[in-house]
Amino acid sequence: MIQLTNISKTYRTQSIETLALDNINLEVKPGEFVSVMGPSGCGKSTLLNIIGLLDEPDKGQLHLNGNLISGYEDKKTAGLRNRMVGFIFQSFHLIKELNVYDNVELPLIYRKMPGSERKLRVTEALERVSLSNRMHHYPAQLSGGQCQRTAIARALAGNPGIILADEPTGNLDSTVGKEVMNILTGLNKSGTTIVMVTHDELLAKSTHRIIRLFDGRLVG
């Protein structure tokens, strides 16, 4: 499903170079639920961004579903990302001017999906995260847990094979965090491959495997 071979990434400014990832070799099999752990600044989010086609490595190769992702034009890369990957962020990244329904629907509009199919997918996604009764509310009218469930619905509405979650419970209390984790576990049991960045050791231990990063390198 996901294969990284000798992946390296350095961020450069006029005065400094920061090595974010150093020769990463990693395989995530279809249907795995993998946690990525490590101290702040160790490269966890950079790793997710490269897997999710939001960033490109300086060196190495990325394969998704057996396909080498290399040299694609921005438009083709964006299309692959939209179809193959769902994102869940710590800060939700909802558009405050759009209600719940419209936030979930937006990525499907970019696919130029027919309206009837969009409606079906959005409705089903909101039902799966128990937000059908909130679809006309705006982010400012929701709790943190409801915002995160909206973000999860947006991610799964596109029926991606891969979900990338960057600290999905980081802004939530422990009770709501467990609810979000239960949703992710259910998605994984239905066949979705999930890579989750977390600082919570207990949450990480409930996944199939823990990957640890330190100074841009895999250490375990």
Side-chain angles (χ1 to χ4, degrees):
M1 174 64 74
I2 303 168
Q3 185 173 4
L4 293 90
T5 306
N6 301 324
I7 292 288
S8 294
K9 178 68 177 180
T10 300
Y11 293 105
R12 297 176 175 87
T13 66
Q14 290 183 345
S15 58
I16 193 170
E17 290 189 356
T18 302
L19 180 62
L21 295 176
D22 185 11
N23 199 39
I24 298 294
N25 290 280
L26 174 65
E27 182 177 1
V28 179
K29 297 179 180 179
E32 269 199 291
F33 192 162
V34 175
S35 295
V36 182
M37 302 194 72
S40 296
C42 71
K44 302 185 299 297
S45 293
T46 299
L47 179 67
L48 283 196
N49 288 343
I50 287 176
I51 294 173
L53 307 181
L54 292 172
D55 204 350
E56 295 183 5
D58 297 324
K59 298 179 182 178
Q61 294 182 336
L62 169 67
H63 287 81
L64 295 180
N65 286 344
N67 298 309
L68 174 62
I69 309 299
S70 177
Y72 289 170
E73 296 179 354
D74 290 346
K75 186 176 181 179
K76 185 174 182 180
T77 300
L80 285 173
R81 182 170 58 242
N82 184 284
R83 293 192 304 273
M84 297 177 63
V85 184
F87 294 91
I88 303 169
F89 300 98
Q90 179 179 356
S91 55
F92 318 134
H93 286 200
L94 302 178
I95 299 174
K96 64 181 181 179
E97 293 84 6
L98 300 181
N99 63 25
V100 167
Y101 184 98
D102 292 338
N103 265 285
V104 175
E105 182 187 34
L106 187 60
L108 306 181
I109 293 175
Y110 291 141
R111 289 193 193 184
K112 299 182 180 180
M113 185 180 292
S116 57
E117 185 177 354
R118 294 201 308 268
K119 182 177 180 179
L120 178 62
R121 289 202 185 198
V122 172
T123 302
E124 288 180 346
L126 290 174
E127 287 176 352
R128 291 179 71 178
V129 299
S130 302
L131 276 181
S132 296
N133 62 335
R134 297 281 184 173
M135 67 172 62
H136 299 301
H137 287 67
Y138 288 82
Q141 299 171 306
L142 304 177
S143 67
Q146 290 168 338
C147 285
Q148 193 59 289
R149 281 190 279 150
T150 301
I152 293 172
R154 180 182 58 194
L156 63 88
N159 195 29
I162 301 167
I163 285 183
L164 304 178
D166 196 353
E167 294 283 0
T169 64
N171 282 336
L172 309 174
D173 63 46
S174 59
T175 299
V176 178
K178 288 178 182 177
E179 293 176 359
V180 168
M181 192 64 184
N182 287 338
I183 293 172
L184 294 178
T185 300
L187 292 174
N188 175 249
K189 288 181 178 179
S190 69
T192 304
T193 302
I194 301 177
V195 181
M196 177 181 71
V197 166
T198 183
H199 282 101
D200 191 319
E201 191 81 31
L202 289 177
L203 290 183
K205 287 181 177 178
S206 68
T207 65
H208 298 155
R209 180 161 55 112
I210 300 175
I211 297 164
R212 298 187 187 273
L213 287 175
F214 187 79
D215 286 346
R217 297 182 179 182
L218 288 176
V219 294

